[in-house]
Amino acid sequence: MSNWSPKLLAIRIHALAATFNRCYHRATALHSSSGPPKLSPYDVNCILRANEHTQEFFGGSVKSYDSNQLASNSPIEDSRSEASCVHTSGLLMGIFDGHGGPACSQVISKRLMRYIAASLVPPDDLRQHMLNEFVSEIKELYEKSFNQFANELTNTTLAGFQMHQTLENAFVRLDQDLSREAIEMPSLRTMSVAMSGAVALVAHIDGPHLHVASVGDCSAVLGTVTDTGQWVAKKLTNEHNSDNVGEVRRLLSEHPATERDTVIRGERLLGQLAPLRAMGDFRYKWTREQLEQLVVPQFGEQVIAPYYLTPPYLSACPEITHHILTPRDKFLIIASDGLWDTMSAMQTVHLVGEHMYGKAFLQPLTLPKQDITLGEISQMLTTRKAGLQRKPLDRNAATHLIRNALGGTEYGVEHSKLSHMLSLPQDIVRLFRDDITITVVYFDSEYLRNCPT
């Protein structure tokens, strides 16, 4: 279903995490407990770059993407995944921000892409793939759920296909499967997924068509350039939290008026959960009877929230945006709220735009093959000299954003601030920063200029 098998992807992520741990422990071991921690530039770079990844593409609307993540929680509760669809030219990019533990985000990051990609395969082809491919790739615990979903898809037609509905069905169906698995096969593994939760954002890019499906408070921002060369940040998502008036009204409309003062208390769902949409978190979805039977014996009475009267209170139905890409759209930034807590959408677009321009000066100067005058060479050298002042420290745009998010000041990145933020003790680091996961997708302007919509 993906050009990268789940096993290979897991091995790559595991190896990067091990690299980060080695770098972090080496860096923090340099300091005595009595003095303030000070990391060298080498140590900082080692920590920031441990999880970075770049992938290039040839042909299509996507040229490449940069991704990276930096942990605050231990283990990190964020996950990310990327996949290319075999039967379409589409690419899938996902950011998953877990809470109450990493179990739910890890599971949906591996399973949601497969549910979406299966929905994009023609039913006849899907039947053949089910015989030859899917069963062997899926872990035994989830094989039954996926096979049932895929079997149902083979009985559908592509007539009236709507990408919006496909994405919505994949999100909702996976969430239903997570619930059913925990109810029918209760175990430490299925219950750890059911009792934790995750917000999720998936971008699907196929030619000029960009769809973004979001549940929770991850965000997607499009970087667009105007005729005058000015950057514009276009936000493609809404956060599903108590700051979103429309989301609050939706939630209140689904419950009796007598619960108006209890559904959201202290800006949280039932006074406990910040996002108003999420996958997992079945303690806010199951009936009270189900919680008392399945959850209370293991986790205690406190698992049932106060004023838990008319569940479900939480939805996994995504909000979906469709955007037609143009040559002015240069890149897409998707990230967990660990980034957006520290900078605005406009700041991120400016940083990536400047990085995109400055990155060209990381390459050696090459002269054109045709004849060129000394005056033209002089002009090239003058331009390059000016550009070298804007040369970024990082080749990876996601790393560049993390560096600025943690160490940025009005005068640029301050090493002492960055060093401090990266060497905070594990027992207090979460008070100062959250897990940060970022993917920056670059678009091919020439392709978008010539492709039909």
Side-chain angles (χ1 to χ4, degrees):
M1 187 60 62
S2 163
N3 284 346
W4 307 299
S5 72
K7 180 175 288 188
L8 289 177
L9 182 63
I11 291 173
R12 179 172 68 81
I13 292 173
H14 176 76
L16 290 172
T19 302
F20 169 79
N21 288 334
R22 288 196 299 271
C23 293
Y24 180 81
H25 290 304
R26 177 193 177 277
T28 53
L30 295 175
H31 315 298
S32 65
S33 58
S34 59
K38 294 185 182 298
L39 304 181
S40 71
Y42 172 83
D43 295 325
V44 166
N45 290 340
C46 186
I47 293 172
L48 289 181
R49 295 171 182 170
N51 286 324
E52 68 180 11
H53 177 69
T54 296
Q55 183 78 36
E56 295 183 349
F57 301 92
F58 300 96
S61 55
V62 175
K63 287 198 299 186
S64 64
Y65 72 81
D66 291 339
S67 66
N68 200 354
Q69 61 184 171
L70 181 71
S72 170
N73 295 291
S74 181
I76 187 171
E77 293 183 338
D78 280 9
S79 296
R80 73 182 193 266
S81 57
E82 305 87 25
S84 59
C85 301
V86 172
H87 283 266
T88 73
S89 58
L91 293 173
L92 290 163
M93 309 282 175
I95 300 287
F96 310 92
D97 184 354
H99 47 262
C104 188
S105 70
Q106 290 175 356
V107 167
I108 64 173
S109 71
K110 296 171 183 175
R111 298 180 67 183
L112 182 57
M113 299 303 199
R114 188 175 296 276
Y115 275 56
I116 295 172
S119 304
L120 301 176
V121 177
D124 290 342
D125 293 337
L126 183 58
R127 292 189 193 96
Q128 188 63 35
H129 274 276
M130 287 188 65
L131 294 174
N132 298 334
E133 177 181 359
F134 291 142
V135 172
S136 63
E137 288 189 5
I138 301 172
K139 293 184 179 180
E140 183 177 351
L141 181 63
Y142 307 128
E143 185 176 309
K144 179 180 176 182
S145 296
F146 183 82
N147 279 339
Q148 186 174 342
F149 175 59
N151 272 320
E152 292 173 12
L153 291 175
T154 63
N155 295 321
T156 63
T157 67
L158 292 180
F161 172 83
Q162 294 287 335
M163 189 65 194
H164 181 286
Q165 193 63 48
T166 296
L167 290 169
E168 181 178 308
N169 289 345
F171 271 72
V172 173
R173 177 55 180 266
L174 177 55
D175 197 60
Q176 292 171 346
D177 285 348
L178 295 176
S179 173
R180 182 181 49 76
E181 289 160 2
I183 292 172
E184 295 180 0
M185 299 175 288
S187 67
L188 179 61
R189 186 172 186 178
T190 57
M191 292 303 294
S192 66
V193 174
M195 289 300 99
S196 61
V199 297
L201 184 151
V202 173
H204 178 265
I205 308 161
D206 194 351
H209 296 281
L210 167 63
H211 289 85
V212 177
S214 176
V215 168
D217 55 9
C218 294
S219 293
V221 174
L222 194 65
T224 301
V225 67
T226 67
D227 288 335
T228 58
Q230 301 298 309
W231 286 108
V232 175
K234 180 176 181 179
K235 200 167 180 185
L236 301 179
T237 51
N238 296 308
E239 290 83 13
H240 301 132
N241 56 33
S242 61
D243 293 330
N244 183 332
V245 176
E247 186 68 4
V248 171
R249 286 174 179 165
R250 176 197 66 80
L251 183 59
L252 292 177
S253 71
E254 296 173 355
H255 299 275
T258 54
E259 294 185 64
R260 189 172 188 85
D261 296 329
T262 59
V263 170
I264 296 177
R265 294 185 299 119
E267 301 182 344
R268 291 174 175 262
L269 180 69
L270 298 174
Q272 296 184 348
L273 190 67
L276 302 184
R277 299 192 200 188
M279 302 186 73
D281 283 319
F282 295 108
R283 58 183 297 195
Y284 304 110
K285 298 173 182 176
W286 285 345
T287 65
R288 176 178 283 272
E289 290 73 22
Q290 287 174 314
L291 291 176
E292 290 174 345
Q293 179 183 350
L294 295 169
V295 184
V296 170
Q298 296 185 53
F299 298 91
E301 291 284 349
Q302 69 275 8
V303 77
I304 302 179
Y307 305 103
Y308 195 78
L309 304 173
T310 57
Y313 289 91
L314 194 62
S315 170
C317 185
E319 186 172 358
I320 299 167
T321 302
H322 178 214
H323 176 81
I324 302 292
L325 294 168
T326 73
R328 298 189 188 282
D329 299 322
K330 302 303 180 183
F331 52 82
L332 173 72
I333 305 168
I334 60 174
S336 59
D337 64 346
L339 174 68
W340 310 113
D341 288 344
T342 63
M343 59 177 60
S344 68
M346 194 69 245
Q347 286 175 310
T348 63
V349 167
H350 274 301
L351 284 168
V352 174
E354 291 171 0
H355 180 271
M356 187 173 69
Y357 172 78
K359 191 165 61 171
F361 296 99
L362 292 172
Q363 306 299 326
L365 176 65
T366 56
L367 297 177
K369 294 182 179 179
Q370 65 268 25
D371 293 338
I372 186 171
T373 66
L374 289 175
E376 289 170 332
I377 293 176
S378 176
Q379 181 60 44
M380 288 177 64
L381 292 173
T382 300
T383 301
R384 183 170 179 82
K385 182 178 180 181
L388 286 173
Q389 298 177 4
R390 303 172 66 180
K391 180 178 70 173
L393 184 60
D394 304 295
R395 289 181 178 272
N396 186 294
T399 307
H400 181 65
L401 285 175
I402 295 175
R403 186 184 297 275
N404 280 271
L406 300 185
T409 69
E410 58 182 316
Y411 305 108
V413 176
E414 184 179 288
H415 174 74
S416 61
K417 180 182 178 183
L418 186 57
S419 170
H420 175 71
M421 292 297 285
L422 290 175
S423 56
L424 291 167
Q426 188 60 54
D427 58 343
I428 66 168
V429 62
R430 185 60 182 84
L431 299 175
F432 294 87
R433 59 180 178 87
D434 197 357
D435 298 332
I436 301 176
T437 301
I438 306 169
T439 298
V440 180
V441 185
Y442 292 99
F443 301 118
D444 188 326
S445 299
E446 194 60 33
Y447 176 91
L448 293 172
R449 188 172 290 112
N450 297 305
C451 76
T453 57

